[in-house]
Amino acid sequence: MINEQLINPKSIVVVGGSNKTSKPGGNCIRNLLNGNYAGELYVVNAKEETVQGLKCYRDVRDIPPTDLAIISVPAASCLETVTILANEKQVKAFIMFTAGFGETSEDGKELEHRIVKVIDDAGASLIGPNCIGLLNRYHHSLFTLPIPEMDPFGVDMISSSGGTAIFIMESSIRRGLRFNSVWSVGNASQISVEDVLEYMDVNFNPETDSRIKLLYIESIQDPDKLLEHTASLIRKGCRIAAIKSGTSESGSRAASSHTGAMTNPDLAVEALLRKAGVVRCFSREELADAGAVFTLKELKGKNMAIVTHAGGPAVILTDALAKGGLEIPKLSDTPVADELKNKLLPGSSVSNPIDILGTGGPEHLALAIDYCEKRFENIDGIAVIFGSPGLTRVYEAYDVLDEKMRTCTKPIFPVLPSISTACEETDVFVKKGHVNFSDEVGLANMLTKILKTPAPPANSLELKDVDIPLIRRIIDNIPDSGYISSRSVQDLFRAARIPMVDEMVSDNWDVIRDFAAKIGYPVVAKIVGPVHKSDVGGVVLNIRSEEHLEIEFRRLINIPGAKAVMLQPMLSGMELFAGAKYEERFGHIVLCGLGGIFVEIFKDVASGLAPLSTEEALSMVRSLRGHKVFEGARGQKSIDESEFAKIIVRLSALLRFAVEIKELDINPLLATDKGIIAVDARIRIEK
């Protein structure tokens, strides 16, 4: 639980406070004093009379009743200390720097549980243990540096790791980011990352609260809570970016399907964050870039103008933006462009990038920005690259940039690369309340990520044409766990309105022969029994005669493990892929992509968390690296991405009401002239 005594305590005691600022308790007191904490501040240290000018108490029993206790004593002393403070001194909030608990041993975990029970029984809050503390505008209760500049509309950062929080602050401060709060939850014994998000969501005030949240997460304890409150905050106008570490190990789980082999913790996290609308980051620098972009006006289109006095960085930025899918529209050969060019120095270029030359001054920078803001209609945002060649100062140019960023209705992204040559000018610019991207590629990559992150859907459960009662009857009538029969797969797909090719499964030659005559040649024959058909030579394509079919039927039925032969018409088209796997705590992860080598070798798949809306499914399809194929690249016929998205949505609805399904493969889904149809599918259930 998070309470007022934790957020805005009227009194704080530092147990283990010290005159030595090299110790956590000592540095925390210094931070509290330098942060001008306005309440009563007490110190407990059995060996000192005064600590940093404050009266020092020898024992926690001697202090007055207190709101918040900061614990910086050895782990063995913590239980007794916390018990006295909670039961005798009415302490309602604790921050525990101390390590040596559940993160180190089973005995430490047991001690941690006992401490948490004391705090819970007292109705108090706990941050930690094993954390660096809590920083906000009311109190700087952490033992580390740096202390960023505080701003009520600055960044809220929540971190599982104290050390990582410090390094993220280092990167962020360098960009000019300000902070509203920093939460280091440590072992998260009582208050986790999800709990802090819940508090921020439930108590959100759009008039007074920060709208920027940066997260570093090592363990998602409650995926549903994380999803609920991040999505809710984003719908309320917040912007959130997150790093989730520890997703590279897929473990030793046996997977018997393509989907099972591909689905891993990282895809589950990707699906969760995508559904929430959270921008996924993979490094501290990316997270800081996300925070910096979030502080600026929102880019609401894809058309960028680049204003520069240095051609090289502008070309690098152009390439990076174009690679990410943004547009740098040509501006020359128009009356407006000619007008601007006549006002700039001879030799300037206005094609986009707009190059005002190395000798261009503040007045030329202002002109170029004004034309991008007011005269060029097809511009959504402006990147300004302006450094110093070491010959002149750039104060006046940065003053112009400052003024334009405050008054321009379009977002301006400043790239000021001269952090050594023009460090003084850059510092002055940043201290006026701005951010700076010293690297143009980092800016481009983050703009791409943000634009490609979909908003959280308003409604994820779409059930049109899906027969839920029939789905339940089919599942309930399947007696055992394992891979279900081809007939049951077809029945489920019909109930979910997922189109599937006509097929016959039998171990009787006469039945197979008659079905082939009915559907017409050519046909496809597949073995039924072995999980991986191709590995045992169990798939035969393009069978054009009854004689050929009989030969292959006899061969297939005699392969070890064969139970029957499946016959289908031979269809042609582009192969697609869809599948799903149940991930513990996350639910069903739905995958989609192009079939064949795209899924087998390139692993070009997108993931989503069921249930999915049409908007979410389309976003997944469009995020594929091979999405150009849907548009009919290189003479190929185009693929109806909307129809593909509908199938993904119906698949997710099927999973929502058939939770017994643990793995599902449709490979391939065939995009034919007559629509998209499932050709081969496998479903594994656990009853």
Side-chain angles (χ1 to χ4, degrees):
M1 58 174 283
I2 296 175
N3 55 27
E4 183 65 17
Q5 290 91 338
L6 180 64
I7 300 295
N8 187 13
K10 301 300 183 286
S11 53
I12 299 175
V13 59
V14 181
V15 184
S18 173
N19 283 307
K20 296 180 179 179
T21 56
S22 59
K23 293 187 174 182
N27 208 34
C28 176
I29 292 173
R30 180 174 67 177
N31 287 339
L32 285 164
L33 293 172
N34 290 346
N36 299 315
Y37 170 62
E40 296 293 328
L41 184 57
Y42 311 122
V43 184
V44 175
N45 188 321
K47 298 179 181 179
E48 301 286 354
E49 295 290 335
T50 62
V51 170
Q52 298 185 45
L54 299 171
K55 176 185 175 181
C56 186
Y57 295 85
R58 295 296 181 91
D59 194 291
V60 291
R61 294 179 177 87
D62 300 331
I63 67 169
T66 307
D67 280 352
L68 168 65
I70 298 170
I71 309 298
S72 184
V73 296
S77 304
C78 285
L79 179 59
E80 180 184 8
T81 299
V82 166
T83 302
I84 294 169
L85 290 169
N87 295 339
E88 300 179 23
K89 297 302 175 181
Q90 294 82 55
V91 172
K92 291 298 180 183
F94 292 84
I95 296 173
M96 294 188 66
F97 297 157
T98 309
F101 293 100
E103 77 280 6
T104 60
S105 68
E106 287 300 315
D107 288 343
K109 183 181 293 186
E110 174 60 27
L111 178 58
E112 186 175 323
H113 287 163
R114 294 172 66 189
I115 291 170
V116 173
K117 186 177 187 307
V118 171
I119 293 172
D120 285 344
D121 289 347
S125 296
L126 169 64
I127 295 289
N130 187 30
C131 70
I132 65 167
L134 171 62
L135 168 70
N136 63 28
R137 289 176 288 120
Y138 303 109
H139 61 110
H140 297 178
S141 294
L142 74 172
F143 67 84
T144 60
L145 297 174
I147 301 295
E149 186 174 335
M150 306 304 290
D151 185 323
F153 298 106
V155 171
D156 288 318
M157 182 170 70
I158 313 168
S159 176
S160 297
S161 162
T164 306
I166 296 168
F167 302 143
I168 291 171
M169 282 193 285
E170 293 270 12
S171 298
S172 301
I173 291 169
R174 193 175 73 246
R175 286 163 174 76
L177 279 178
R178 290 148 182 79
F179 283 78
N180 177 58
S181 68
V182 176
W183 300 70
S184 163
V185 300
N187 290 5
S189 299
Q190 187 201 66
I191 296 173
S192 65
V193 171
E194 295 95 320
D195 294 318
V196 180
L197 286 166
E198 179 182 35
Y199 177 84
M200 291 178 175
D201 180 25
V202 171
N203 297 280
F204 183 72
N205 184 330
E207 301 299 323
T208 60
D209 289 355
S210 168
R211 294 174 180 266
I212 303 172
K213 320 293 179 188
L214 301 182
L215 315 177
Y216 172 75
I217 309 170
E218 290 182 346
S219 173
I220 298 178
Q221 297 185 7
D222 190 335
D224 287 341
K225 181 182 280 191
L226 183 73
L227 173 60
E228 176 186 354
H229 295 295
T230 50
S232 176
L233 283 164
I234 290 170
R235 291 190 191 102
K236 291 173 181 176
C238 294
R239 309 176 79 183
I240 304 177
I243 297 172
K244 170 62 179 79
S245 63
T247 57
S248 58
E249 291 296 327
S250 59
S252 58
R253 296 165 299 169
S256 56
S257 67
H258 294 298
T259 304
M262 288 186 297
T263 307
N264 54 50
D266 188 63
L267 280 177
V269 169
E270 184 75 30
L272 178 69
L273 297 182
R274 169 184 287 276
K275 194 175 194 68
V278 174
V279 177
R280 178 89 186 271
C281 298
F282 293 92
S283 71
R284 293 178 287 104
E285 296 296 308
E286 278 194 344
L287 197 65
D289 279 336
V293 172
F294 288 162
T295 67
L296 302 173
K297 295 180 179 71
E298 186 176 355
L299 180 64
K300 296 184 177 180
K302 291 187 175 183
N303 291 337
M304 290 286 294
I306 301 172
V307 178
T308 182
H309 69 164
V315 174
I316 294 172
L317 178 57
T318 299
D319 289 343
L321 290 171
K323 182 179 179 181
L326 284 87
E327 303 291 338
I328 301 86
K330 187 177 181 181
L331 302 175
S332 56
D333 301 327
T334 66
V336 175
D338 292 340
E339 181 182 311
L340 172 60
K341 187 170 184 178
N342 290 333
K343 294 180 179 180
L344 297 176
L345 295 176
S348 298
S349 170
V350 295
S351 63
N352 199 15
I354 299 172
D355 190 348
I356 63 174
L357 303 181
T359 50
E363 67 277 16
H364 305 108
L365 177 63
L367 267 173
I369 294 174
D370 284 344
Y371 269 73
C372 292
E373 159 76 354
K374 302 171 184 176
R375 303 296 303 280
F376 294 123
E377 296 180 356
N378 57 337
I379 296 300
D380 301 306
I382 308 163
V384 174
I385 303 175
F386 206 100
S388 169
L391 301 174
T392 58
R393 308 304 291 267
V394 290
Y395 280 112
E396 291 183 0
Y398 289 2
D399 286 342
V400 165
L401 187 55
D402 166 50
E403 189 267 331
K404 296 301 180 186
M405 289 185 68
R406 295 181 190 281
T407 59
C408 189
T409 60
K410 297 175 183 178
I412 297 177
F413 304 95
V415 181
L416 313 181
S418 301
I419 54 177
S420 295
T421 309
C423 61
E424 292 180 13
E425 296 97 315
T426 303
D427 286 345
V428 170
F429 174 81
V430 167
K431 287 176 181 177
K432 290 178 179 179
H434 300 299
V435 293
N436 172 39
F437 303 90
S438 58
D439 177 62
E440 57 275 0
V441 174
L443 167 63
N445 291 343
M446 187 45 57
L447 286 176
T448 297
K449 279 181 177 284
I450 291 171
L451 284 175
K452 289 184 177 180
T453 300
N459 178 22
S460 295
L461 192 56
E462 298 180 14
L463 300 175
K464 184 180 180 181
D465 299 328
V466 177
D467 192 335
I468 299 165
L470 179 55
I471 288 171
R472 283 310 318 163
R473 287 198 299 273
I474 296 166
I475 291 291
D476 291 340
N477 287 330
I478 297 173
D480 301 313
S481 298
Y483 277 96
I484 67 177
S485 68
S486 172
R487 176 65 178 272
S488 295
V489 172
Q490 287 210 330
D491 290 344
L492 283 172
F493 279 15
R494 273 194 291 269
R497 293 292 303 278
I498 297 172
M500 192 164 189
V501 67
D502 288 336
E503 65 182 35
M504 174 60 67
V505 177
S506 178
D507 60 358
N508 185 298
W509 161 245
D510 293 335
V511 172
I512 292 294
R513 179 194 60 205
D514 292 347
F515 184 72
K518 175 184 174 183
I519 62 175
Y521 291 93
V523 295
V524 177
K526 303 176 184 179
I527 191 172
V528 175
V531 171
H532 298 295
K533 300 177 180 67
S534 298
D535 293 348
V536 295
V539 179
V540 186
L541 305 177
N542 205 27
I543 299 173
R544 294 183 170 275
S545 68
E546 181 178 321
E547 292 76 12
H548 185 191
L549 176 59
E550 183 174 9
I551 292 170
E552 295 297 349
F553 173 82
R554 305 296 181 196
R555 183 182 69 83
L556 291 171
I557 205 67
N558 285 303
I559 291 176
K563 297 178 180 179
V565 171
M566 176 191 295
L567 200 69
Q568 298 172 335
M570 180 75 187
L571 302 176
S572 62
M574 174 63 70
E575 290 188 0
L576 306 176
F577 164 82
K581 186 175 186 297
Y582 184 83
E583 280 286 321
E584 195 66 37
R585 296 186 300 120
F586 286 83
H588 282 104
I589 309 303
V590 180
L591 304 183
C592 73
L594 296 170
I597 63 170
F598 287 96
V599 67
E600 295 281 357
I601 299 174
F602 300 141
K603 301 293 190 291
D604 183 17
V605 295
S607 61
L609 189 63
L612 295 163
S613 67
T614 299
E615 181 182 3
E616 289 178 280
L618 280 170
S619 174
M620 290 168 60
V621 173
R622 291 167 182 168
S623 72
L624 296 168
R625 296 193 302 274
H627 179 253
K628 285 286 185 183
V629 172
F630 285 80
E631 301 170 3
R634 293 188 174 272
Q636 298 287 329
K637 291 183 178 179
S638 61
I639 301 171
D640 188 342
E641 65 177 23
S642 296
E643 184 61 28
F644 191 23
K646 288 179 183 177
I647 291 173
I648 295 168
V649 170
R650 290 169 183 158
L651 174 61
S652 79
L654 165 64
L655 298 166
R656 171 66 177 81
F657 294 98
V659 294
E660 294 89 344
I661 294 175
K662 301 306 177 185
E663 291 184 41
L664 184 153
D665 263 342
I666 311 176
N667 188 22
L669 270 168
L670 210 58
T672 71
D673 292 337
K674 297 180 180 179
I676 300 176
I677 187 167
V679 173
D680 198 358
R682 291 177 295 173
I683 296 177
R684 183 177 67 83
I685 68 170
E686 291 180 10
K687 299 290 286 186

